[in-house]
Amino acid sequence: MPFVFKRLALLLSIAAASAADKDAPFKAAPAASYASHQTNDKITIGVDPYNGGDKVKAAFGKLDPYQHGVLPVLVVIQNDGDKAIRLDKLRAEYVGPNRDRVEATPAHDVKYLQGPDRPNAIPGPTGKVKVLKPKKNPLDTWEIEGRSLAAQMLPPGQSASGFVYFQTGLQHNATIYLSGMTEAGTGKEILYFELGLQ
C-alpha cells in the first residue's frame, strides 16, 4: 500500500510542477540580454516586439494583440546609475523605415481601438425577436493594461519593464524612439534612445 501512495504523490507533484510551469507569471529578462539594447549614462534599455509565437502566449494568454492591429513592444529599463530617474513623461514612438512615425497608444485606450460586435437580431418562431449576445471586445483584457509600462520613477540599481502599444505592423528596419526621461533630483533630461526592432 505505501508504494501506491508514493506513486500517487509522485504523479501529483509532476502534475503540479507542469501546471506551475504553464501558469508561471510573465517576467521580463534583463535589459542587456535583448538583441536590441542600448546603454546611455548608465541606463540600459532593451526592447522586443511581440508579433507572434509562444512569447505572445506567455504575456497575453489567448489574446494576440498583433492579430487585432496592435503591435506590443516590451521595454525593459535598467538604472545602473546613482540617481533616480523619472519615467512619468516617457514618450515612445515607432519609426518606420521611411521615417514615418507612430506614437504609442496609451494602454488604457487600447481596448477602445476595436469595439464589440453589434448584437444580431433574428426572428423567433412565434414572431418574437431573439437578440443574440454580441462577442466581447478581444482587446478588453486585463493583460493589456496590467502588463503595460507604468513605472513613474526608477530608483538607482532597479529595473522596470512593461509593454508599449503601437497601431502598426512590424516593418523591416523599424526603430523605437524613447525620450522624455529625466533625473528626479535635477530635472535634467536624459539622452534619447533609438533601438532597432529585430
Side-chain angles (χ1 to χ4, degrees), residues 26-71:
F26 173 77
K27 187 170 183 198
S33 69
Y34 290 97
S36 183
H37 70 274
Q38 180 182 349
T39 302
N40 290 336
D41 295 329
K42 297 185 180 178
I43 299 167
T44 302
I45 298 181
V47 296
D48 189 18
Y50 275 53
N51 61 327
D54 290 338
K55 63 184 181 179
V56 172
K57 288 181 184 174
F60 298 102
K62 293 179 182 178
L63 171 67
D64 184 351
Y66 196 66
Q67 296 297 320
H68 299 281
V70 177
L71 174 65

Side-chain angles (χ1 to χ4, degrees), residues 4-20:
V4 173
F5 287 122
K6 286 181 183 177
R7 187 170 181 186
L8 181 61
L10 177 64
L11 289 174
L12 289 174
S13 66
I14 291 172
S18 67

Side-chain angles (χ1 to χ4, degrees), residues 74-108:
L74 179 65
V75 177
V76 183
I77 305 171
Q78 173 68 39
N79 181 4
D80 291 321
D82 56 357
K83 297 175 183 164
I85 300 168
R86 293 187 61 171
L87 301 176
D88 57 339
K89 295 188 178 163
L90 179 70
R91 291 183 305 277
E93 288 182 304
Y94 174 96
V95 182
N98 297 326
R99 304 307 294 169
D100 45 334
R101 294 176 176 260
V102 177
E103 285 189 30
T105 301
H108 61 272

Side-chain angles (χ1 to χ4, degrees), residues 77-195:
I77 305 171
Q78 173 68 39
N79 181 4
D80 291 321
D82 56 357
K83 297 175 183 164
I85 300 168
R86 293 187 61 171
L87 301 176
D88 57 339
K89 295 188 178 163
L90 179 70
R91 291 183 305 277
E93 288 182 304
Y94 174 96
V95 182
N98 297 326
R99 304 307 294 169
D100 45 334
R101 294 176 176 260
V102 177
E103 285 189 30
T105 301
H108 61 272
D109 289 343
V110 171
K111 63 185 168 191
Y112 301 116
L113 298 179
Q114 181 176 342
D117 293 335
R118 293 184 66 194
N120 291 327
I122 58 171
T126 60
K128 294 183 180 178
V129 175
K130 182 177 181 182
V131 177
L132 301 175
K133 188 175 179 182
K135 292 182 181 178
K136 181 186 169 199
N137 179 353
L139 293 173
D140 189 7
T141 62
W142 74 267
E143 288 92 349
I144 296 290
E145 279 192 71
R147 301 212 190 282
S148 67
L149 182 61
Q152 301 291 305
M153 185 83 67
L154 188 58
Q158 299 292 314
S159 67
S161 64
F163 288 93
V164 291
Y165 303 98
F166 299 96
Q167 296 178 59
T168 186
L170 183 61
Q171 299 170 315
H172 185 65
N173 292 331
T175 59
I176 296 295
Y177 183 84
L178 298 167
S179 62
M181 292 179 286
T182 58
E183 291 179 359
T186 64
K188 176 185 167 191
E189 190 163 351
I190 295 167
L191 188 66
Y192 68 89
F193 290 76
E194 191 166 10
L195 301 113

